[in-house]
Amino acid sequence: MRKYTLLSSLVLLGSLSLMSACAGGSAESSGSDSSAAHGGASPAPSSETATVDPAKIKGLNVVNDSSNDRSCPWATSYPDVPGAKAMTAAMRADVQGYLDGYLGKDSSGQATACGGAATSNASELPELNISFSMMVASGDVLGVRLLTQNRMGTGDGLTTKTYWYDGAAAKYRTTLDLVADGSRDAFTKAVKDQLKQKEGIDLTLLDQLGASEMDDASFTSGGDLKITFDRGSVGVPAAGRMTVTLPEATVSPWLSDLGKRAQKQTTDPSGTLDLGATSTPAASVPTESATGNDTTDCAEVKCIALTFDDGPAAPETATLLKYLAQYKARVTFFTVGQNVAAHPELVRAEAKAGHEVGNHSWSHPDLTRLTPAQVRQQLERTTAAIKAATGKAPTLFRPPYGAVNAQVKAATTLSPVLWDVDTEDWKYRDSAKVAQTVITKASRNDVVLMHDIHPTSVAAVPEILRTLTDEGFHFVTVSHLRATL
């Protein structure tokens, strides 16, 4: 029996209210829980926090992975920047550590549980979501923040950590390295003095606080230094996340050479990033253009809608576009906002080639676990990125994990799209198996779920296109399939 059908997706159309675009919300908070502000794991920075357009970083590769298991949802993402291999390795190790702990792997590496939780209550299901934001990418300094949300039961489990790369020394650095060795005592005392003035502080935890525990710090556009503490790390959990801001005049004398350069490149960026990479790979962008509108009548011929989630990814999406062009196949891409922001040129190529670009949220959280405001932020921020890349706003969205309810539907006018055939390509990284799943299970007018972030899935596409074309199938977008039935 099929779990998701096109008909059920069509029923979800209509009666959805239009909300204005939202990109607000801050990761920082002073004595209050800010989890509602960042859409479930990808906070938009406050107006005081410096951020970087990832599309300006040459050779940037966003490393994505996720499951499609509604009972054990997880999605991870972090940047891989040319020249910063040591920092990438540090992020990879932390992400893998979080994932192994979440899945409960045994000594052989096999998953034995999902967060150690077993419940039929959707509101108590575990969820792991790791996303990122770029703080500095200029001169010889790179700064990245990872945002990890590990939901266990009803808690939000949000933690943040910043990573730094010093191109001048060709070394990965921690937040502690922003402060000169001889100034760390004064720095720590200043932070503690500010924390003592906040409600909900646990003095026992505060006494134990050292500079090495201050692992989330970033500069504002004015040169101040913000240090953010996870919920429960320096105060009672009810007090939420806490932030200390040290003014530029106070903190500048305490900064190390790296700290001074990081501050300078935040307040007055040079506009180019040079970490000493021996080569910076240029992204391959296909140039195929659609020749007119698709005139396929799915009421008369066999149609199928291939859909690809979680991209765009370099170089996988570019390779996929070339395969699709060879068969004049049109598909629907459900893109993740932070990847659209990193690779708008690939999204433009998708649209130019006649494919449909849909919305798959900003950072792939379970939307049913979010507030209406968070759902709107996740979807509208992604819609804005897609429109900026293609000139056209999407009309469809695919809820991560297929998790959708009345509250999610009421928060957007986008039409939800689920699927008929799940290739489980996220689980089986085997191109032959993926191809056979589609070929043997797909029927007329089906919507097929795949992911263009996996090389094995992309490698399966030529066989799928060749075999199903021989069987008389026509490859169309979801919107075209709906319109012609």
Side-chain angles (χ1 to χ4, degrees), residues 20 43 63 67 87 141 160 200 209 248 280 305 409 464:
S20 60
V63 183
S67 79
M87 190 178 83
V141 178
T160 58
L209 180 66
E248 184 271 341
T280 302
K409 288 181 281 183
I464 293 170

Side-chain angles (χ1 to χ4, degrees), residues 129-162:
N129 186 288
I130 302 178
S131 60
F132 70 93
S133 61
M134 311 294 293
M135 302 178 300
V136 186
S138 182
D140 55 12
V141 178
L142 177 67
V144 175
R145 174 180 283 114
L146 285 191
L147 304 100
T148 299
Q149 191 158 41
N150 192 350
R151 293 182 187 270
M152 302 293 291
T154 58
D156 66 6
L158 179 67
T159 61
T160 58
K161 181 177 179 179
T162 52

Side-chain angles (χ1 to χ4, degrees), residues 8 29 100 118 144 154 175 210 224 248 296 304 334 350-351 362 386 455:
S8 65
S29 173
D100 288 348
V144 175
T154 58
T175 297
D224 301 339
E248 184 271 341
T296 305
I304 192 166
F334 287 103
E350 292 171 355
W362 183 262
I386 293 171

Side-chain angles (χ1 to χ4, degrees), residues 14-94:
S15 70
L16 304 179
S17 60
L18 176 63
M19 307 300 294
S20 60
C22 164
S26 170
E28 287 81 23
S29 173
S30 295
S32 62
D33 190 340
S34 66
S35 60
H38 46 73
S42 184
S46 73
S47 59
E48 297 181 2
T49 303
T51 56
V52 174
D53 179 357
K56 296 183 180 299
I57 303 176
K58 293 182 179 180
L60 171 65
N61 177 36
V62 179
V63 183
N64 299 287
D65 206 354
S66 66
S67 79
N68 199 45
D69 185 351
R70 179 71 178 91
S71 66
C72 186
W74 58 267
T76 62
S77 181
Y78 61 90
D80 180 0
V81 178
K85 289 183 178 180
M87 190 178 83
T88 302
M91 289 188 288
R92 181 186 302 114
D94 285 349

Side-chain angles (χ1 to χ4, degrees), residues 427-444:
K427 184 189 301 183
Y428 303 108
R429 307 297 172 86
D430 182 331
S431 58
K433 182 176 179 60
V434 172
Q436 280 305 113
T437 298
V438 178
I439 292 167
T440 58
K441 292 187 177 182
S443 299
R444 182 174 182 172

Side-chain angles (χ1 to χ4, degrees), residues 336-350:
V336 171
Q338 62 183 3
N339 295 341
V340 176
H343 295 295
E345 74 285 352
L346 289 175
V347 181
R348 280 193 291 273
E350 292 171 355

